[in-house]
Every structure is written in structure tokens, then in C-alpha cells.
Amino acid sequence: MAALSSSHSRAELLSLSLSQLLKHRGSTDLNLLPSSLRFFSTQKIRGKHGVENDEDSDGGEELDGRKFKPKRSSTKTKRAKSMARLINTKPWSRDLESSLASLAPSPSKTTVVQTLHFINSLPKAMQFFDWVQKIGFTHDQQSYFFMLEILGRARNLNVARNFLNSIERRSNGVVKLEDKFFNSLIRSYGRAGLFQEACKVFEMMKAIGVSPSVFSFNSLLLILLKRGRTNMAKSLFDEMLKTYGVTPDTYTFNILIRGFCKNSMVEEGFRFFKEMRKFNCDADVITYNTLVDGMCRAGKVRIAHNLVKGMDKRDVDLSPNVVTYTTLIRGYCMKQEIDAALDVFREMVDRGLKPNEITYNTLVKGLSEVQEIDKLKELLAGKIGGGVFTPDTCTFNTLMDAQCNAGNLNEALKIFEKMLELHVQPDSASYSALIRNLCQKGDFERAEELFDELSEKEILLRDLRCRPLVAAFNPMFEYLCRNGKTMKAEKVFRQLMKSGKQDPPSYKTLIMGHCREATFQAGYDLLVLMLRRDFVPDYETYQSLIDGLLQKGEPILAYRALESMLKSCHLPATFTFHSVLAELLKRSCASESASSILLMLETRIRQNIYLSTQTVRLLFSCGKRDKAYQIVGLLYDNGFMVEMGELIDFLFLSKRLFDAYKMLLFSLEKHQTTDVKMCSTVIEGLCKSKRLCEAFALYYELVEKGIHQQLSCIEELRIALHAGGKFEEANFVSKRLQTHWLSDNSEQISSEIHRHQSMYKPKVCRHRKGVSDERFLIRSGVCDAGIHN
């Protein structure tokens, strides 16, 4: 970024219409500003030996003051890099082991640790760790600790935990478990956001007899307070003092003060501040900065200012720094007490401290909000504080945002143009503020130009520290999606996602845009992304996407969207279920069709008998017999039906005789109206296929139901049973056949009996004694004697 050092450049900047700045009081949206303005989020806490550590960083072993850093010997480092290069580029094998052994036949501790550091694959790091032990290297506490750190930082926490539990076994009892091993794992769980697992490791450490140190308590307190578990933190601090008698250090109190202030418990934070002297802990500048920030956020700026004034009295070597004063300036600006903020600014300069860009930008923001245009000009000209201030991206963003909030969009655009002219790089916040306001004014053409520039330069991916208001892009997304440019909108939206920014309403805007443009696959992909991030699409989004996917001939995706819709607690209309199933059947999607039926049964959706029948037919056609039987059974169990006659006819014509037989039995069991002609046809087919057991079983069921008299296949069945050696079954059929014959020919039989009795009465009488009518008919030749053969 070019410096604005020349008076000519500064004059050009001041020539902007600052007199027009904030005619109407407005509030600058903090979310539109880069993180550099929110300076305290990067505040650091001083640890042991005066080392400053970022409270939000992953910490490392510096929390203990015992972090192991591999020594850097040039020869050993080259050897370690060579070994790591081999390991990273080749699969682990005996050849690789031989190559490593030739490079370092007896590797030193430094070589081993440095090689582990350079290996970029966690499994290979573990293989190398085990291999050097096999060739005679003896791991000590440092190498075990370093391996545990590698596992933890790679978030392979289950492996890390198992590795910790195996250290004593691996070292044959030489390396004893100490608190620093557990501290490492606790911090790893904390970085992963698993505070409960961190607590379990802490309890496990105590359970096996390892006493927690102040570093152990500090590690866990930091995790608990970052998660807002203030009561647990208090209990842990009491345990630290009363149960284990561990003396807290300055770092402990810095954690407690910061944690309670961040959780809006400033009074509790101040109580811990006053307790520090009880434990001979000296507050450092980080302690004061933490407490001052908490008080300013709570609106207690005057008290915070008095606290800063007392720093010198408490310790002659303790003085406020730039962060201290900038925190106070921000606190006064938040209360719009700009004169007090300027007094603090001058006090800082008088003490010989040089304001940084964060200090200046904080004042620029404060002056803008209270419309102090003249003082803003003086600050930009370097007349306040006597220093040279080079405006940066944050400065321009603040000015542009203030102009936008005041309704002076043209002035904001001029500032943006001047920003480019002076080679100050705009960031995503610069663009988002202008795009949003241009959309609000209805100037979508100019907004689209900026939007395209933002997209092509991939500024959203470049500005990892900048946090623009994601919702600011919604009006632009809506405009583009209404005008057939959804893919353009999605490109920027995905850049936002890659940079870790999300906005649920934007998903709907883009999905509906894809539906309007008939790019339903792209809409479905966004739906999947939305669900993966635990955002819940609304009913309209689902319904539009499902309808569109069906129109586009994508029934499988429509079905998946339907499943997700139910999981999102939306109940689609019955027609939607039936439409999806109908399209699945058209595409012969057997598994999805069956799943659709099951889904409807689970949600108590009314079935369509035609679609249900076609689904079962499709399942049989695809060889999914078990699934077909399951579907039919569940349908009838839930009070629904299929067109059984059509289904059985289909099975018979498809030469699925056994399935037709089973369906007939099922139909009879469910007391369904049965086509006797089809029953005869199936029985005949079973007889021809020598499936006599099944043929007789079906006939028997028909007899039980009393509908066997109309069968036309009884004689064929009797003959087949007799020929197959099933004489009892054949006899059973013969008896029913005879009864059937007598019933159908009763009048003719009576006439014949009467005629024979009159013609052969004496003889008949002699022979009829004790003989049944049936046998008489047979003997008389009225009945076909062959019927009983």
C-alpha cells in the first residue's frame, strides 16, 4: 500500500467533501470493519518468563514454560530434511527403511525430533517413531512429548489418547507419565472444542496418581472460560487451592480475569484482580489491559481510566502501553465522549508512546460517529498528536461507511475512488458496504460492476482477517437471481463459504434462482451444502426444488430432497409423494420406489393403489422378490391394498409361477376376492411344472374358503397327484370332485336311479342291502367308475 507521505496526496485526501460527512448521525456497523479495528480480540496474555502468548492461539507447551524446541544444528537439520523427504515421497517399505538407515545408522535425538517435525503424514510419523526404536534408538520424555504434540495438533485425538496411555509400556517403564503429557492432551481437546473430553483427561490424570500442576489448571481453566463455563471454572480454582494446594501464578489470574470479563462478569474479574496480592502475584500490563477492556465493554470507562492512572503507583516498572490507551479511547468513543477520548490520545502521546494505525482508526470511527468533521480533518492532517498518520484500508472503510450511513452514497464512492487512486487496497468490507448501499438506492448496474470486480479478484478469499457483513450481499444475490444470473451470484457465495462466512437466507435465494433457471442439479447441490451446515431450508425451498427436479427428469434427486424435507420437519402434500413415486416408476428406479412406499407408510400418507401395484411389479421384474413381498405385507398391514388380480396375472405371464402361487395364497389369507379362473390356471401350471405340493396347497385353501366348486382344473389336479404318487391328496380331490359332480347333476341322477330301480328292482334290492348310494351309482354305471382310480 502506498504511503500518503506527500503533502499533495494528503491535500487530495482532505479535498474530499468532509464537510458533508455525517449530516445525519449514523452508527457504523462494526461487522463491516476489518478485524484491525477490533484490536482487543488479538490481545495477548503474558505467560511465564514474560513471554507473551496469544490467548486464542493453540498454545503449545509454552503454557508450562517448558515447550520443547528442537535444536537446529545445520548438519543434523539437513539430514533430518533428507530423511523426511524420503518418507514423504515414498510408501513405507523395507527399501525405505534401508535408505533411512544409510542416511542415519544411529540417529541422534535431535535428528529424530527434527525428522518428525518435517514429516507431513501422521501415519508415517508414527511408523518412523516406531522404526527408530526398532533400530536401537531410545525415546526419552522429549521425543514422547513431541510425538504426542504432533498427534494432538493433527486432531487425531483418539490415537493421541491411546499413545499417552502406552508411553510407559513402550518405554518399558523408563519414561513415567508426568503432568505435561496430560496438559498437552488437554490443550488438544480444548483446541478441538471438546471441553468435556479435556475434563475427562484431567480426571484421568488425577485418578492414576499424577498430581496436576499450575500448568494443568491453567490449561483447563482457559478451555472452560472460553466455553463460558464460569461456575466450573470457579470450582476448579477452589480445587486448585484447597485440594491440591497449588499456588496460582500471574498467568492463572490473567486467564480468570479475561475469562470472566469476556463472559460479562466484570465484577468477578475485578475480584480476582484484587486477590492477586494474596498469592504474591504481580499484575502485569496484560492483566491491566484485560481488565480495562472488560470495564470499557461494560460501560465503566471512568473506572477503567482511574485504574490505568494507578498503574505507576502500584509498580514503578509498570506502565500503560499503546494497547492500554487505545482500549480507553475505544471505550470513550463507544460512549460518544469524544473529548475524553482525545484527552487520552494526547496523554498517550505526552508519555512518549506512538499511536499505531489501530489507535488512529479508532479515533476516526469515533469522530465520524459524533460528526466532529473539523477534528477529523485535523487528525487526518496530523495536527492532533503531532504524528504522521498514513490512512489505511480500515480508515477508508470507516469513512465510506460513515458516509453511507449518512445517506451520502456519492461521497462514499468518491472516497472509494480516491482509495484506489492512492493505491490503498480495498478489502471485502469496502465492497460489501458500497454494494449494499447501491442496491438500497436501486443502482444495481453500478453494484453489479463492483460485485464482478470482487468476484474476479477473489478478494473474499484473500481477506481472511476481514469480516464483512455477509447479509450485505443478499440484495445483490436477489437481483442477480431474479435476472437469470444465479451462477454469478453463486460464485461469490461460494467464496464467502470458503472464507468461513455463512448466511442461511442466501441459500434460499440461490436455490430459488436455480429453480427459475431450470438448473435444478445446482440447486440440489446447494441444498446439500445447506443441510451439512445444519441450516434448515423452509417448505417453499423444498417444494420448488422437488417440483423442478421432477420436471427435469431427476426423480432420484427429488426423492432425496423429499427425504430431507421430512427430516427438516416439513410434511409434503400427498400429491408430492405420489408425483415423486410416479416419476421413479417411469425411470424404473426400483429401490427408490420401494423406499418411497415405506416413507409414505412411516408418515401415514395415503397410498395410491395403482402406484403401489406398479411398484411391486417393478420389484419382481428387477429380481427383488423379498422386497416385493415386504411391501405387499406392509401395505395390507396398514390397511392398504394392491390390484392383486393384475399382479397375479403379471406374475403368471412373466413365468413367475411360484410367485403367482404365493400371491394367491396371500390374497386368500387376506379374504380378498379371488379370480377362480386364474386359480385354475395357476394350479394347472403348477401341475405341469411338477410342483404338486404347491398345487394341492392352493386347492386346499380354496376348499377351506368354499370356492373350489367352480374350478375347472380339478380333474387335471387329481390325475397329476395320482401320477406323482400322492394318493392321499388325490383321494381328497376325488371326493370333492364327486360331490361337485353330484351337486351339478342331481336331477339327472335322481331320474336315472328311478329308471334303474323300476327295471331291475329285485336285483337291485338284493345288491343294495348295506350299500351306499354313491357306490350304487358307481356300480350301476351312472357314475364314472374311473373317478376313484
Side-chain angles (χ1 to χ4, degrees):
M1 182 177 64
L4 305 181
S5 56
S6 69
S7 59
H8 177 68
S9 296
R10 188 173 303 283
E12 287 183 329
L13 177 64
L14 292 174
S15 68
L16 296 171
S17 303
L18 289 177
S19 60
Q20 299 294 320
L21 186 62
L22 287 179
K23 287 182 178 179
H24 306 286
R25 179 171 298 186
S27 174
T28 304
D29 190 340
L30 282 175
N31 288 320
L32 292 174
L33 299 178
S35 57
S36 56
L37 260 186
R38 296 188 299 282
F39 56 89
F40 205 82
S41 64
T42 58
Q43 190 68 4
K44 296 183 177 181
I45 295 177
R46 189 177 302 279
K48 194 171 181 179
H49 308 307
V51 178
E52 287 190 354
N53 301 314
D54 188 347
E55 188 266 350
D56 290 324
S57 69
D58 51 15
E61 191 59 12
E62 64 266 31
L63 289 173
D64 301 45
R66 296 183 285 184
K67 183 168 182 177
F68 172 69
K69 294 182 179 179
K71 294 178 181 178
R72 295 300 178 113
S73 167
S74 59
T75 304
K76 292 180 180 179
T77 300
K78 289 179 180 178
R79 183 182 297 117
K81 285 183 177 179
S82 298
M83 295 174 73
R85 193 179 302 113
L86 281 174
I87 295 170
N88 291 334
T89 56
K90 294 184 178 182
W92 196 272
S93 63
R94 290 188 177 181
D95 290 340
L96 176 61
E97 291 177 354
S98 299
S99 300
L100 294 174
S102 64
L103 285 172
S106 300
S108 66
K109 181 171 66 177
T110 302
T111 301
V112 169
V113 173
Q114 287 187 353
T115 304
L116 284 171
H117 177 75
F118 293 128
I119 296 173
N120 56 24
S121 167
L122 185 61
K124 287 184 176 180
M126 280 297 302
Q127 286 174 313
F128 175 77
F129 185 90
D130 293 333
W131 174 74
V132 292
Q133 189 170 26
K134 288 179 184 177
I135 64 171
F137 179 81
T138 302
H139 289 294
D140 60 7
Q141 279 192 347
Q142 288 182 335
S143 56
Y144 276 111
F145 175 78
F146 192 69
M147 189 68 231
L148 186 62
E149 282 280 284
I150 291 173
L151 291 169
R153 290 177 184 276
R155 298 286 177 93
N156 206 323
L157 300 177
N158 287 333
V159 176
R161 187 167 187 155
N162 293 334
F163 181 79
L164 183 146
N165 291 329
S166 71
I167 287 176
E168 289 191 350
R169 174 179 56 78
R170 283 171 173 268
S171 66
N172 294 321
V174 174
V175 177
K176 301 296 182 182
L177 290 180
E178 295 182 358
D179 67 293
K180 75 171 185 177
F181 293 109
F182 293 94
N183 298 346
S184 174
L185 192 55
I186 288 170
R187 289 192 299 276
S188 296
Y189 276 119
R191 286 192 294 268
L194 303 172
F195 88 94
Q196 291 181 335
E197 294 300 321
C199 293
K200 288 179 183 178
V201 174
F202 185 77
E203 294 300 323
M204 179 177 71
M205 173 175 62
K206 296 188 295 184
I208 66 174
V210 177
S211 297
S213 65
V214 65
F215 310 115
S216 310
F217 285 104
N218 288 349
S219 299
L220 193 54
L221 282 170
L222 186 63
I223 294 167
L224 292 175
L225 288 168
K226 285 178 77 171
R227 292 296 298 266
R229 307 287 174 163
T230 52
N231 289 333
M232 291 179 69
K234 287 180 182 179
S235 299
L236 183 65
F237 186 68
D238 289 341
E239 181 183 4
M240 176 182 181
L241 300 177
K242 298 175 183 177
T243 305
Y244 289 93
V246 174
T247 303
D249 58 13
T250 299
Y251 188 49
T252 309
F253 284 105
N254 286 349
I255 292 171
L256 290 167
I257 294 167
R258 180 178 177 82
F260 280 97
C261 287
K262 285 285 188 182
N263 286 285
S264 302
M265 299 174 68
V266 181
E267 297 296 336
E268 196 69 24
F270 195 73
R271 184 180 69 81
F272 282 113
F273 174 74
K274 291 190 289 187
E275 279 192 21
M276 293 183 73
R277 286 190 174 179
K278 292 182 183 178
F279 298 94
N280 296 321
C281 292
D282 295 326
D284 56 19
V285 69
I286 302 300
T287 312
Y288 277 94
N289 289 348
T290 304
L291 195 55
V292 167
D293 177 68
M295 289 182 169
C296 287
R297 290 179 187 276
K300 301 179 179 180
V301 188
R302 296 288 176 185
I303 298 175
H305 198 170
N306 290 333
L307 184 67
V308 171
K309 291 177 180 177
M311 287 178 69
D312 294 339
K313 297 177 183 177
R314 183 173 180 130
D315 189 340
V316 292
D317 296 326
L318 190 61
S319 300
N321 60 16
V322 174
V323 174
T324 315
Y325 283 110
T326 306
T327 305
L328 280 175
I329 291 169
R330 188 197 60 181
Y332 280 120
C333 287
M334 287 173 65
K335 295 177 72 70
Q336 295 193 339
E337 297 181 16
I338 199 65
D339 290 334
L342 289 170
D343 288 341
V344 173
F345 183 78
R346 295 187 183 96
E347 180 183 338
M348 175 177 63
V349 174
D350 291 342
R351 291 183 68 114
L353 295 173
K354 184 180 179 180
N356 58 26
E357 68 274 8
I358 299 175
T359 313
Y360 279 110
N361 286 326
T362 302
L363 268 176
V364 168
K365 180 179 175 343
L367 290 165
S368 299
E369 288 181 348
V370 296
Q371 306 178 45
E372 291 283 358
I373 308 304
D374 292 336
K375 290 178 180 177
L376 179 58
K377 288 181 179 180
E378 292 177 9
L379 179 68
L380 294 173
K383 294 180 180 179
I384 298 178
V388 177
F389 170 44
T390 303
D392 59 7
T393 301
C394 180
T395 313
F396 282 98
N397 285 350
T398 304
L399 293 172
M400 284 190 294
D401 192 56
Q403 291 281 27
C404 288
N405 289 334
N408 301 323
L409 180 57
N410 289 332
E411 293 300 320
L413 289 169
K414 288 179 182 179
I415 294 173
F416 182 73
E417 290 170 4
K418 183 60 65 175
M419 182 181 188
L420 297 176
E421 182 183 330
L422 298 172
H423 304 292
V424 178
Q425 184 67 46
D427 60 13
S428 54
S430 314
Y431 284 94
S432 63
L434 292 174
I435 290 171
R436 179 187 57 178
N437 282 274
L438 284 166
C439 289
Q440 289 173 353
K441 295 289 186 180
D443 190 355
F444 290 102
E445 185 177 345
R446 174 64 174 135
E448 189 173 353
E449 289 176 5
L450 290 174
F451 189 86
D452 291 342
E453 188 177 325
L454 176 78
S455 175
E456 290 165 6
K457 293 182 178 179
E458 295 188 340
I459 292 172
L460 290 166
L461 298 178
R462 189 169 66 232
D463 294 337
L464 298 179
R465 293 181 302 170
C466 183
R467 295 179 179 271
L469 184 64
V470 183
F473 295 101
N474 275 344
M476 197 67 226
F477 290 153
E478 290 172 3
Y479 167 76
L480 293 171
C481 292
R482 285 197 308 268
N483 289 275
K485 301 176 182 179
T486 302
M487 288 307 300
K488 179 187 284 191
E490 185 176 337
K491 183 179 179 182
V492 169
F493 180 74
R494 287 185 176 272
Q495 290 178 6
L496 283 166
M497 284 196 298
K498 286 180 181 178
S499 58
K501 303 170 186 70
Q502 303 289 339
D503 183 53
S506 299
Y507 282 97
K508 179 178 180 179
T509 301
L510 292 166
I511 292 172
M512 298 299 285
H514 281 302
C515 289
R516 281 190 289 269
E517 296 172 29
T519 50
F520 301 106
Q521 174 73 57
Y524 178 78
D525 292 342
L526 281 175
L527 180 79
V528 172
L529 284 176
M530 189 176 186
L531 293 169
R532 283 177 183 171
R533 285 156 177 77
D534 296 324
F535 298 134
V536 181
D538 63 11
Y539 186 95
E540 182 186 12
T541 303
Y542 274 117
Q543 193 65 54
S544 299
L545 192 56
I546 291 170
D547 292 343
L549 289 167
L550 292 177
Q551 292 172 14
K552 198 72 172 177
E554 297 283 356
I556 293 179
L557 292 182
Y559 170 70
R560 291 174 184 168
L562 186 69
E563 282 185 310
S564 299
M565 188 175 184
L566 288 167
K567 291 176 183 177
S568 298
C569 300
H570 300 305
L571 182 61
T574 301
F575 174 78
T576 303
F577 280 97
H578 291 171
S579 298
V580 171
L581 178 54
E583 290 300 317
L584 288 170
L585 290 169
K586 284 182 183 178
R587 300 277 176 169
S588 298
C589 303
S591 297
E592 289 79 8
S593 297
S595 298
S596 183
I597 293 282
L598 295 174
L599 202 61
M600 284 192 277
L601 290 173
E602 288 174 10
T603 50
R604 302 181 183 277
I605 297 296
R606 175 178 55 81
Q607 299 287 330
N608 179 296
I609 189 169
Y610 170 77
L611 296 176
S612 301
T613 305
Q614 295 306 307
T615 300
V616 177
R617 281 186 56 164
L618 179 59
L619 290 168
F620 276 119
S621 298
C622 296
K624 300 180 183 294
R625 296 172 63 250
D626 293 341
K627 179 62 72 173
Y629 290 133
Q630 179 195 13
I631 294 294
V632 172
L634 288 172
L635 284 169
Y636 277 82
D637 288 345
N638 285 274
F640 300 106
M641 300 170 59
V642 296
E643 291 284 359
M644 192 60 75
E646 178 188 340
L647 183 59
I648 294 170
D649 188 50
F650 159 76
L651 292 170
F652 183 79
L653 293 174
S654 302
K655 303 186 184 306
R656 292 179 171 82
L657 192 61
F658 184 72
D659 291 321
Y661 151 73
K662 290 191 70 173
M663 281 297 153
L664 276 171
L665 286 182
F666 180 83
S667 179
L668 291 168
E669 179 188 335
K670 296 299 181 181
H671 307 287
Q672 299 294 303
T673 302
T674 307
D675 184 351
V676 177
K677 183 179 179 181
M678 177 55 69
C679 291
S680 294
T681 303
V682 171
I683 291 174
E684 287 174 0
L686 290 169
C687 290
K688 290 177 182 177
S689 302
K690 307 299 183 183
R691 306 196 74 149
L692 300 178
C693 291
E694 288 83 359
F696 180 77
L698 179 55
Y699 174 74
Y700 186 85
E701 284 296 321
L702 292 167
V703 171
E704 288 288 304
K705 301 297 181 183
I707 54 176
H708 65 291
Q709 295 89 347
Q710 300 174 14
L711 290 171
S712 61
C713 63
I714 300 178
E715 177 61 12
E716 288 82 352
L717 177 62
R718 183 194 67 78
I719 293 171
L721 289 169
H722 193 275
K726 298 186 178 295
F727 301 113
E728 291 186 11
E729 289 86 345
N731 187 50
F732 180 88
V733 174
S734 295
K735 288 182 179 180
R736 272 72 196 166
L737 179 61
Q738 177 183 319
T739 303
H740 171 60
W741 189 88
L742 286 171
S743 174
D744 288 348
N745 300 278
S746 57
E747 293 184 2
Q748 182 182 352
I749 291 172
S750 297
S751 176
E752 289 292 327
I753 290 173
H754 181 71
R755 186 171 65 82
H756 278 73
Q757 284 178 340
S758 61
M759 290 175 63
Y760 307 104
K761 189 173 182 180
K763 183 178 179 181
V764 171
C765 289
R766 285 197 304 272
H767 287 282
R768 283 192 64 195
K769 185 176 181 180
V771 180
S772 68
D773 288 339
E774 179 184 347
R775 297 184 66 184
F776 168 74
L777 290 172
I778 296 169
R779 290 177 182 179
S780 300
V782 176
C783 296
D784 183 3
I787 210 167
H788 286 287
N789 291 340

